[in-house]
Structures are given as structure tokens and as C-alpha cells.
Amino acid sequence: MKMKKIAVLGIAGMMAASLLTACGSGATTEEGGNAAGTDGSAAQTETASTDTRFDELQTIEGYGMSFYGDAGWAEVQDAINEITEEAINVRINYHPMDVASYMEQIGLMLSGGESFDLVMCTAIPVVSFSTMQSQSELMDITDYLDEYAPELVQTVGKYMEATTVEDKVYAVPNFKMDNSKYYIFMRKDVLDYLELTEKARSCDSWTEVEEILYAVKDAQETLPEELRTNAIISNSDAQGCVICDCAWDSAPENFADGHGMDILANASKLVYIDESDNQVKNWFATEDYKTIVERAQKWHQDGLVYKDAATSDETGDTLMANGITFSYMCAAEMGAEVAKTNTTGHEVVAVEYGAIPVQTYNVNCWAWAVPSTSENPEAAVAFLNQMYTNPDIENLFVYGLEGRDYELNENGEAVRKDDAAYRCEDFLFGNQFNAYPPAGMGSDFRELSLKDFEEAEMSPYYGMTVNTDPIANELTAVNNVLVKYERGLESGTTDISSLDSMLSELDGAGLQTVIDYYQQCLDEWLAEQ
């Protein structure tokens, strides 16, 4: 493939030092410089640009998940391609898919050998980095990053470890606020009407949360029509999860007694590390998991939970936006109340109940990879370099077209229009810190959020990834069991007795082999630290 280099402007550093690994674990790398700064509007990438411009126009195909469909995307894509064609002579045909379609089709496309060039890795287990990588569906892009995207690597820095397995990079994690906290989001208009707002803001236990949920349920018939909802609490995601949180133990009655768990980047929540003895254990077999499921079951039996939680393909954001639910629980970052207010169209109160340290999982749970079937990885990685370092491209992906989908206010904040043709979340593409701050966040929001992220607590096991190829068959069998049981249990719609059946079938599917292998990898990684 003929290409030429242009605009060599003195890069501050080339690709980070080799990511040494043990049993698939990422070791320490040199930290890249800060990826972004702020000037009161969008965060601006500080690294200089060294673009690879191809002699002939390259066209790549990409697939990703969208919570809002593909409305308005065609014109946004044209604007992005205008930039990338001029810079590197690459254009993308990107296909946004709804959550259900993405979960169903991407795995089939990858396993069927369909050729395309970019794929979004998500927090949903069936289309996660760990699942795709373990099934050999992702390409080793280490050398391509060195050649076509050194600025990207410098930008993401040490967080590249989260997608590095045995010294090979298989994806690029989105550079975003990975120091998430867990919240219960409640509609403020309902709380205000029932004079429960201050109670919600001061909640520090599950008993106090339940008092609010039951009070809202009991008041449904007396609430004004516009404040009534079909459900008091809904599933947070497209997997039916109402209350069980990934990498956070929310079983204790008091929020302060909950704690984070490193899950070794296994998006299915199969395993966690007991920090007291560095032992890998089965999360589903713990008393705490049972307590959480029993709490969800009680809520369902008492009529609090959305009746379609176990089967719904809609998220809590959408369900609240559509007036279906009063509340839902999920992870969010700094500025959560404003962000969810903008997303749902309802002012919310965010009740924080947990904050997990940065770990490999919450770094690689949203990432971009090149499928192993790609016939043009050079152009795909060159496009990623643009996506992670060019603020104009980031803002197009996040907000759409200025004037049509959003306006900038006097503070340099992006104000989405009520009739915006295009909508998207700001953590799905590239470098979140390059996006304009959302309306209400403040002109220095991206600068403050980057600082907050850089100062966040990190898991003592951060950087450890596992090459799961040797246990791929067992993981597939185990995940098939989870598909059968997990939605029902974590939405509270099936009886707690089914947990025993799930545990028995997990054992039969080879879960102990999985645990033993993770333990071996952990022991080897710890020995080298």
C-alpha cells in the first residue's frame, strides 16, 4: 500500500515503552504526557501531529453501538470524512447499531469471518474486549500503532495496558473518566412534589432508599399525571440488571460498608480478587451476591421493578426519558446529575452509593479494536489516531453538527437542541477530554475531570490482563449458563432458588478451571511486581 508521511512537527515522544506481560498481564509503561488541556471550551490535544497520508483514498468499515439509533448520522459522517480525507486520505463508513442488534449481530459477523475494519468493544459481556479477544476476533495492532498512531499512544499512555495481552495490543481504550461512581438516579420533580428531595440527598443506606421507593409507589394514584410512571425502578442496562453492579459489592446495608473488587477484566463478573489473601474467587457463589439478588427479588415482588426489566433492550436513561421509570441505578462520572438531566430530559437527584478504584476492567470496557478479518488495518489505525487526537472529530462524534444539533454558549459549553437530529454519549469515541463541556458543567469541566481522573485511586492489580485463549471453551460454556440465568436473577424476576441451579451448571461448565487459570496468572503477575 503506497503512502507518504506529512507534517512531521516534532513529537514529544514516540510509542510508549513495550508493555511487558506475564500470563497476559500488562506491566508498567512510560506515562505519556497529558493528552488534553482546556481553553474554556473544548479540551485541546497537546501532542503535535504526525499524520500518515495515503496516496490513494482508503475506505474503511466500522461498527458500533448507539443508544439513539442512526438518526442524523449521515451528515455527521460526511463532516468527519471531510476532515480525515484531507488529513490522511481515509474515509469511514460507520454503522451505528441499536443495543440489541449489536449484541446479536457483531458476534456472528466476527465468528463468521466477515471483513470490516473497526469494532467497538463495550461493557456488555457478549461484545466486550475480553470476550472478543479470548475468541481471537481482534487483531494485534501493536506495530500499526507504532507506525500510524504514535500520538494516540502518547495520549492514552499507561491506560494502553488494559488492552494489552502478552505484549500485544489488541484495542485502544477510550480515553475517558474511568473513575466511575455508582448512583441511584431519581426524578427530582417527583421528589420535590412528595417533599423527599432532601431525604434523597442525605441517603446513606438501602433502608433509606427503599423508604423513598415505597413512598413514590404508594403515591402514584395521587400524583399529577405528568409525574406518574409505570415503574418505580427499572433495569439500568440492556441485560436486565436492576441492582447488581460490576466490580462493586453493594450488599451491605450501609453504603459506606460497600467495597470495590478487581474483576480481572472479566466483563461477565465471574471472578473477583479477594484482596485479603490475593485469591481469585467465584463472585456468584458469595453470600453478598445472594443478598443483592434477594434485595432485587423483594423489590420485584413488591411491585417496584419495571415489569419488562428482564427482557428490555432499553437502558435506564431511555426508560426515564420516556416517562416509564422514576429511578434507575448505574455507574457515572463527575458531573453525573447534570449529565443525566441532559440525557433523560428530567432533572435528577444522584444518590451516590459506591466508588470503585480504576482497574483494568473499567478502562477497557469501552474501546476500539481492529477485527482480525480487517483487510485494511493501516487505514483503520490511522483513522483512530485522528479520532483520539483531533477535537473537531471528537465533537462531531459526540454532539453532531453545530447549529443543527447543538450550539455553543458564552461559556464554551455545548447546548443540545431539543430537536437535535443526532444524539450520542460522550464516552463512546476516542478522547472524551477533547469534547466541549456539556451545558451546565462549567467551562473548565474537562480540565477538572481530567485532573480528577489522574488523581483517582487505582486498583493494586491495575494493568493485569489475562490471555484467556487456554480457557476459551470453558468461558463460552460458562457464559452460556449466565445467559440462561443472570437476567432473571439480577432483575429480581426469578426466584432465588434458581441461583443454586446456576451455580451447579457453572461448575459443570468448567468454572473451577477458569478460576484456577486466573489464579495462576495472578500469582505469576504478583511474583513479577
Side-chain angles (χ1 to χ4, degrees):
M1 181 176 296
K2 292 184 178 180
M3 48 77 181
K4 56 185 177 182
K5 293 291 185 76
I6 63 171
V8 181
L9 299 177
I11 304 172
M14 292 298 283
M15 188 170 185
S18 297
L19 305 175
L20 304 177
T21 58
C23 201
S25 57
T28 304
T29 66
E30 296 177 6
E31 289 193 31
N34 284 354
T38 54
D39 62 357
S41 56
Q44 301 296 319
T45 299
E46 294 177 348
T47 54
S49 175
T50 300
D51 293 327
T52 296
R53 194 175 198 283
F54 297 92
D55 288 339
E56 298 178 1
L57 178 64
Q58 307 296 311
T59 300
I60 60 174
E61 301 288 330
Y63 288 83
M65 182 185 296
S66 171
F67 301 117
Y68 303 100
D70 60 0
W73 167 247
E75 295 81 6
V76 176
Q77 179 170 267
D78 287 343
I80 291 171
N81 282 332
E82 183 176 347
I83 297 171
T84 58
E85 285 182 37
E86 179 178 352
I88 57 175
N89 214 13
V90 174
R91 64 178 291 113
I92 187 170
N93 289 329
Y94 177 66
H95 309 275
M97 301 171 69
D98 65 75
V99 176
S101 297
Y102 199 73
M103 291 170 61
E104 294 169 1
Q105 295 181 30
I106 289 300
L108 294 174
M109 292 167 62
L110 291 169
S111 62
E114 184 169 337
S115 178
F116 58 103
D117 306 294
L118 285 175
V119 62
M120 180 190 290
C121 305
T122 80
I124 298 176
V126 295
V127 280
S128 67
F129 169 78
S130 58
T131 297
M132 295 181 192
Q133 194 278 326
S134 69
Q135 295 174 349
S136 301
E137 293 169 343
L138 306 182
M139 185 179 294
D140 170 13
I141 56 173
T142 311
D143 293 339
Y144 296 115
L145 289 168
D146 193 4
E147 179 71 14
Y148 297 95
E151 298 88 4
L152 179 159
V153 175
Q154 185 184 8
T155 294
V156 180
K158 65 184 177 182
Y159 301 103
M160 293 292 294
E161 298 174 34
T163 50
T164 300
V165 180
E166 292 186 346
D167 206 23
K168 298 176 182 178
V169 182
Y170 288 94
V172 181
N174 288 348
F175 191 50
K176 57 183 175 57
M177 293 180 286
D178 292 315
N179 50 325
S180 299
K181 296 181 179 180
Y182 279 107
Y183 298 93
I184 308 158
F185 293 102
M186 304 179 184
R187 279 181 53 171
K188 186 175 182 295
D189 53 359
V190 178
L191 293 172
D192 287 346
Y193 186 87
L194 297 176
E195 298 183 346
L196 292 171
T197 304
E198 291 308 311
K199 179 178 177 64
R201 292 201 182 281
S202 63
C203 275
D204 59 13
S205 70
W206 290 109
T207 294
E208 291 173 317
V209 169
E210 289 180 351
E211 288 171 356
I212 293 174
L213 298 181
Y214 285 108
V216 174
K217 177 179 181 293
D218 292 342
Q220 283 297 301
E221 292 185 3
T222 60
L223 286 174
E225 185 67 29
E226 67 272 15
L227 301 184
R228 298 179 189 178
T229 55
N230 295 336
I232 308 305
I233 190 165
S234 74
N235 51 295
S236 64
D237 55 27
Q239 300 177 87
C241 176
V242 170
I243 195 174
C244 188
D245 311 300
C246 194
W248 180 259
D249 184 349
S250 58
E253 159 65 13
N254 296 317
F255 295 162
D257 295 328
H259 61 89
M261 306 172 293
D262 197 299
I263 60 172
L264 289 169
N266 185 285
S268 298
K269 301 179 290 191
L270 284 169
V271 295
Y272 74 101
I273 302 174
D274 186 334
E275 290 190 30
S276 67
D277 56 8
N278 289 326
Q279 293 298 299
V280 178
K281 298 181 179 179
N282 175 5
W283 167 238
F284 298 115
T286 63
E287 284 299 312
D288 281 0
Y289 179 76
K290 183 177 181 181
T291 296
I292 294 168
V293 169
E294 287 175 332
R295 184 181 292 146
Q297 182 179 332
K298 178 178 183 296
W299 290 1
H300 185 270
Q301 290 173 342
D302 290 348
L304 299 178
V305 176
Y306 179 44
K307 64 181 179 63
D308 295 327
T311 57
S312 175
D313 292 323
E314 296 183 294
T315 65
D317 289 347
T318 304
L319 292 169
M320 182 175 283
N322 292 336
I324 293 174
T325 189
F326 159 72
S327 68
Y328 65 100
M329 300 162 58
C330 72
E333 293 78 36
M334 182 177 173
E337 281 196 359
V338 174
K340 293 303 184 184
T341 294
N342 291 338
T343 299
T344 66
H346 295 283
E347 189 174 359
V348 300
V349 171
V351 180
E352 180 185 334
Y353 65 93
I356 63 174
V358 177
Q359 58 180 286
T360 303
Y361 166 74
N362 50 336
V363 174
N364 72 20
C365 66
W366 295 99
W368 284 92
V370 178
S372 56
T373 57
S374 172
E375 297 178 0
N376 199 351
E378 298 92 345
V381 172
F383 182 89
L384 287 179
N385 196 51
Q386 291 286 309
M387 187 168 78
Y388 279 73
T389 61
N390 188 321
D392 292 334
I393 293 176
E394 178 70 14
N395 282 301
L396 283 164
F397 270 120
V398 172
Y399 293 113
L401 302 181
E402 185 175 0
R404 185 193 72 172
D405 302 311
Y406 74 98
E407 299 285 358
L408 289 179
N409 64 18
E410 64 276 9
N411 296 320
E413 301 169 319
V415 182
R416 292 190 191 274
K417 292 192 168 186
D418 291 339
D419 59 350
Y422 171 81
R423 296 185 67 86
C424 186
E425 300 289 353
D426 69 355
F427 59 85
L428 293 178
F429 296 94
N431 183 350
Q432 187 183 49
F433 304 106
N434 266 347
Y436 294 118
M441 293 294 197
S443 61
D444 58 353
F445 171 68
R446 296 300 184 191
E447 182 179 14
L448 294 175
S449 61
L450 177 59
K451 183 176 185 292
D452 184 61
F453 174 43
E454 290 175 332
E455 295 175 352
E457 178 186 359
M458 297 193 75
S459 164
Y461 309 100
Y462 174 75
M464 179 183 171
T465 55
V466 176
N467 177 9
T468 55
D469 288 350
I471 53 170
N473 291 337
E474 287 84 359
L475 285 174
T476 298
V478 165
N479 283 328
N480 287 339
V481 174
L482 295 181
V483 167
K484 180 178 176 181
Y485 289 101
E486 199 172 5
R487 275 184 175 234
L489 284 168
E490 295 182 6
S491 63
T493 57
T494 59
D495 189 80
I496 190 65
S497 61
S498 65
L499 176 58
D500 291 334
S501 299
M502 184 178 84
L503 292 173
S504 176
E505 292 188 30
L506 286 174
D507 287 340
L511 180 56
Q512 190 58 50
T513 299
V514 172
I515 292 173
D516 292 343
Y517 179 74
Y518 273 104
Q519 186 67 58
Q520 173 193 341
C521 292
L522 175 61
D523 291 343
E524 292 176 7
W525 185 82
L526 289 172
E528 294 193 0
Q529 302 311 299

